[in-house]
Amino acid sequence: MGEVKDITKGQGRPVGLAILVPSMDSWDADFCLSLLQLQRYLLYKPVCEDFDFMIINERGSLIANQRENMVLEALKNETVTHILWLDSDMSFPPNLFHRLLSHDLPIVGCNYVKRTIPSFPNSRSTKGKVISTSREARGLEEADSAGFGAVLLKREVVEHTPRPWFDTVWLDKGEGKFEMMGEDVFFFRKARKIGGYPLFIDHSISQKIGHVGTYTYENWMCEAALQE
């Protein structure tokens, strides 16, 4: 394996990683390939001498419940220092964990688009505006919320934030209109308000993140090509 390059900024502490993957009954093929490549990278390029990792998967349809249960399972292992959340419909580069860990932040994640046409970013700034990762975007940006498809947490975040960590809440927008707050937004806002843990988005690694979906191609889509 060769010499291990310590990227933990001289902290002198072991790193234990729990990779948490909530899912239904199956995983997307692109996600599986990404996860295999990530595992290989972790094995051949450990972040420090005393490094280990584990993968936890819970299958079901209640995402908030799945996330809550997986955190509890990860915390049973006292060696776990970090939690990497990965959704089973994501694609990502092998060095994802190394990149996010290098920031030494309590919460750091990736920006990616929703599975719609046209696509739309799923991260919002602390002022409520949409955060877009353009082709030129680089570095870190503080955010109010993001998706949980690729997020790294330090153990202390969940230990110092009271349960429930994840929940879905209906927000009264007035005039008989209600809007659902997802379990991801719930977590980020609670961690910031109660624990004092802000969320940061890494635009550089977000350039290599994909949100995998299915798409149905129909005959009308070739009309423009046939007119050429």
Side-chain angles (χ1 to χ4, degrees):
M1 184 170 61
E3 183 180 354
V4 175
K5 183 180 180 181
D6 192 322
I7 69 167
T8 60
K9 295 188 177 181
Q11 297 170 7
R13 299 195 301 267
V15 174
L17 173 64
I19 301 173
L20 307 190
V21 184
S23 69
M24 299 288 281
D25 292 331
S26 59
W27 292 358
D28 184 89
D30 285 343
F31 170 78
C32 291
L33 289 172
S34 294
L35 183 60
L36 287 171
Q37 292 167 352
L38 172 65
Q39 286 181 274
R40 185 178 186 277
Y41 201 90
L42 293 175
L43 288 169
Y44 285 93
K45 293 189 177 182
V47 296
C48 61
E49 287 285 356
D50 194 356
F51 172 70
D52 197 10
F53 69 92
M54 59 190 294
I55 298 176
I56 299 175
N57 168 241
E58 179 164 324
R59 283 164 278 186
S61 57
L62 300 175
I63 186 63
N65 189 56
Q66 290 170 267
R67 294 196 190 281
E68 197 87 5
N69 290 340
M70 285 190 293
V71 172
L72 291 173
E73 184 65 26
L75 293 181
K76 291 179 182 178
N77 191 325
E78 295 182 356
T79 66
V80 169
T81 60
H82 293 76
I83 293 173
L84 177 62
W85 289 98
L86 294 174
D87 282 352
S88 60
D89 59 357
M90 304 298 298
S91 62
F92 45 88
N95 67 335
L96 174 65
F97 173 63
H98 288 63
R99 172 70 189 190
L100 297 180
L101 180 68
S102 68
H103 298 302
D104 193 26
L105 290 168
I107 311 176
V108 59
C110 301
N111 192 22
Y112 54 93
V113 297
K114 299 178 180 180
R115 296 185 300 180
T116 59
I117 297 178
S119 297
F120 199 75
N122 69 350
S123 299
R124 289 191 175 271
S125 72
T126 54
K127 296 182 179 180
K129 296 183 178 180
V130 171
I131 295 177
S132 176
T133 299
S134 65
R135 294 179 187 270
E136 296 76 28
R138 297 291 185 273
L140 295 170
E141 180 175 352
E142 188 172 351
D144 171 67
S145 61
F148 245 77
V151 177
L152 181 67
L153 311 175
K154 287 186 177 181
R155 182 188 184 105
E156 66 182 74
V157 176
V158 289
E159 287 185 327
H160 296 164
T161 304
R163 297 183 62 194
W165 298 301
F166 301 95
D167 200 359
T168 52
V169 180
W170 284 102
L171 303 177
D172 188 347
K173 309 299 286 187
E175 299 182 353
K177 297 180 180 179
F178 292 86
E179 182 179 289
M180 171 75 77
M181 177 193 290
E183 90 291 344
D184 42 13
V185 178
F186 179 91
F187 176 87
F188 291 126
R189 290 183 177 174
K190 186 171 185 178
R192 176 190 292 272
K193 183 176 181 179
I194 297 180
Y197 296 109
L199 163 67
F200 286 88
I201 295 296
D202 183 333
H203 285 294
S204 299
I205 198 71
S206 295
Q207 303 283 352
K208 301 178 182 180
I209 299 294
H211 199 179
V212 182
T214 57
Y215 192 80
T216 301
Y217 295 87
E218 299 177 354
N219 279 288
W220 64 268
M221 296 177 184
C222 69
E223 291 177 357
L226 294 175
Q227 291 174 1
E228 294 181 357

